[in-house]
Amino acid sequence: MKIGDLARKTGLATSKIRFYERIGLLKTVDRRPNGYRTYPPQAVMILGLITTAQRAGFALDEIRVLLPSDLAHWDHTALMDALTRKVADIEALQARLAQSKIHLLHLIEDIQARPADMDCATNAHRVLTNIITEPPEDLTVTSDDIRLLDKTDRRQSVNSGPRKKAALP
Amino acid sequence: MKIGDLARKTGLATSKIRFYERIGLLKTVDRRPNGYRTYPPQAVMILGLITTAQRAGFALDEIRVLLPSDLAHWDHTALMDALTRKVADIEALQARLAQSKIHLLHLIEDIQARPADMDCATNAHRVLTNIITEPPEDLTVTSDDIRLLDKTDRRQSVNSGPRKKAALP
DNA sequence: GCTAACGTTGAACATAAGTTCAACGTCAAG
DNA sequence: CTTGACGTTGAACTTATGTTCAACGTTAGC
């Protein structure tokens, strides 16, 4: 299979496929005498797997160390560990998001709750003081790998994306 | 107030304060005859506000257009709009996170649910097929500005962080 | 044998939010 | 008057995930 075919079958740009090869993520590639890359049918599944893992929040580096060269032989322990850690990461992020949301909702309410006898400037000062004075919760997330919702997801939907790169730019 | 003092009072690096000025985010700065920057006391609150907004998920670009030159005079409508949109963004992200988490938990369960009579390779194939075959939900988030939990948050906690840059590198 | 479509490479660019560095100027204390 | 702390600048670097480009080679169809 040539790179163009693989691109069509996976919905990924050829530049992305070459990039994955360059960073050592996609190793199942050979060369024809003319220099063209050639892929086994398996490559489709590998790329699908990479895409899925990415959408689940794994960085390419993480995927690289988890992906076995042979899809039938995984490092079971490392995989389960990684999955479990990723779930924990997501939960941490969820907690932080919930906090941010609460914070924003409080703020909205606070702004609207201006006492009738208070002018805007004074209200602004009141609200500002509240914001800054808010509890200094240290919700710092310590895990190193939260990359859910990267631009990838906003620009291009891999599963349902166009087979051919949209003609525009 | 010189930049070092401001850095101490806000807990931000001087490089960050200069950077904010460069991108037009922090405009309340003057120069002494010797070239030194000098800040009004208000600058502390402005920087606190920027930091808080960032932690709530606002990009510096968004903050820039919302921040009035005079803290007493906000564009009330634009502000409320932005806050409301940000809450919606967070909710979209929450939905996506919940999906990712479900996906991962299913996967974990699926891996562990290997039929007793199935060898690992076959199980791997079964699980892989399940993964890739999963519904192609297009949870693509359309909003342009989800930057909660950037490295900032993992490297440095602004509210409770060290006043002086932690000496390490 | 021409042309369009496809393939190759390396390098540069993009984004966001900064940090780091070198080379230099200023200031306060002893 | 020297020393150390602080200030200035512009440019380059960082991270992660790619895209874009120019210049060139290959192949398939007509």
Side-chain angles (χ1 to χ4, degrees):
Chain A
M1 194 168 20
K2 285 190 292 184
I3 197 171
D5 305 328
L6 184 57
R8 257 174 305 259
K9 285 191 196 176
T10 58
L12 304 179
T14 59
S15 66
K16 192 175 282 198
I17 297 175
R18 289 200 198 92
F19 173 71
Y20 286 169
E21 178 185 347
R22 224 176 44 213
I23 65 173
L25 190 51
L26 181 60
K27 293 192 254 275
T28 58
V29 49
D30 236 332
R31 295 296 184 131
R32 298 245 178 95
N34 58 9
Y36 283 20
R37 288 170 178 82
T38 185
Y39 301 90
Q42 221 198 3
V44 175
M45 171 153 285
I46 295 179
L47 285 178
L49 209 51
I50 291 174
T51 300
T52 303
Q54 237 187 325
R55 307 213 315 160
F58 287 87
L60 297 184
D61 270 0
E62 300 176 294
I63 300 173
R64 173 150 32 96
V65 304
L66 287 175
L67 251 195
S69 36
D70 178 354
L71 282 193
H73 299 300
W74 294 77
D75 181 341
H76 199 274
T77 315
L79 180 60
M80 292 301 286
D81 271 19
L83 292 175
T84 307
R85 262 185 284 111
K86 194 56 64 180
V87 169
D89 288 352
I90 288 179
E91 282 166 354
L93 184 42
Q94 283 179 324
R96 214 173 109 66
L97 277 182
Q99 266 304 317
S100 280
K101 186 174 159 186
I102 288 172
H103 190 245
L104 287 176
L105 291 175
H106 277 168
L107 181 53
I108 289 175
E109 213 180 319
D110 202 11
I111 292 175
Q112 284 172 334
R114 166 162 72 96
D117 59 341
M118 185 180 278
D119 65 293
C120 274
T122 313
N123 189 50
H125 187 262
R126 176 181 65 80
V127 171
L128 279 181
T129 309
N130 280 353
I131 290 174
I132 307 290
T133 316
E134 223 145 86
E137 339 179 10
D138 194 353
L139 279 180
T140 304
V141 171
T142 55
S143 164
D144 230 27
D145 44 10
I146 288 152
R147 67 201 65 262
L148 285 148
L149 259 194
D150 229 345
K151 308 200 172 163
T152 326
D153 298 311
R154 280 169 264 151
R155 282 218 243 271
Q156 176 182 5
S157 160
V158 175
N159 267 341
S160 59
R163 311 206 123 235
K164 204 101 179 178
K165 234 186 130 189
L168 265 199
Chain B
M1 193 166 26
K2 284 190 292 183
I3 196 170
D5 306 328
L6 185 56
R8 258 174 306 264
K9 286 192 195 175
T10 58
L12 304 179
T14 59
S15 65
K16 193 176 280 198
I17 297 175
R18 290 201 197 90
F19 173 70
Y20 285 169
E21 178 186 347
R22 222 175 44 204
I23 65 172
L25 190 51
L26 182 59
K27 293 191 253 276
T28 58
V29 50
D30 236 332
R31 295 296 183 131
R32 297 246 179 91
N34 59 8
Y36 283 21
R37 288 170 179 81
T38 185
Y39 301 90
Q42 220 198 3
V44 175
M45 171 154 284
I46 294 180
L47 285 177
L49 209 52
I50 291 173
T51 300
T52 303
Q54 237 187 328
R55 306 214 316 161
F58 287 87
L60 298 185
D61 270 359
E62 299 176 295
I63 300 173
R64 173 151 31 97
V65 303
L66 287 175
L67 252 194
S69 35
D70 178 355
L71 282 192
H73 297 299
W74 293 77
D75 181 341
H76 199 275
T77 315
L79 179 60
M80 291 302 284
D81 271 18
L83 292 176
T84 307
R85 263 185 283 110
K86 194 57 65 180
V87 170
D89 287 352
I90 288 179
E91 282 166 354
L93 184 43
Q94 284 180 324
R96 214 172 109 65
L97 277 182
Q99 266 305 315
S100 281
K101 185 173 159 186
I102 287 172
H103 190 243
L104 287 176
L105 291 175
H106 277 168
L107 182 53
I108 289 174
E109 213 180 319
D110 202 11
I111 292 174
Q112 284 173 334
R114 167 162 70 96
D117 58 341
M118 187 179 276
D119 66 293
C120 275
T122 313
N123 189 50
H125 187 264
R126 177 181 64 81
V127 171
L128 279 181
T129 309
N130 281 353
I131 291 174
I132 306 290
T133 315
E134 223 146 85
E137 340 179 8
D138 194 353
L139 280 179
T140 303
V141 171
T142 56
S143 165
D144 232 26
D145 43 9
I146 289 152
R147 67 201 65 262
L148 285 148
L149 260 195
D150 231 345
K151 308 200 172 161
T152 326
D153 298 310
R154 280 168 265 154
R155 283 217 242 271
Q156 176 182 5
S157 160
V158 174
N159 266 340
S160 58
R163 311 207 123 234
K164 202 103 181 178
K165 231 186 131 181
L168 268 198

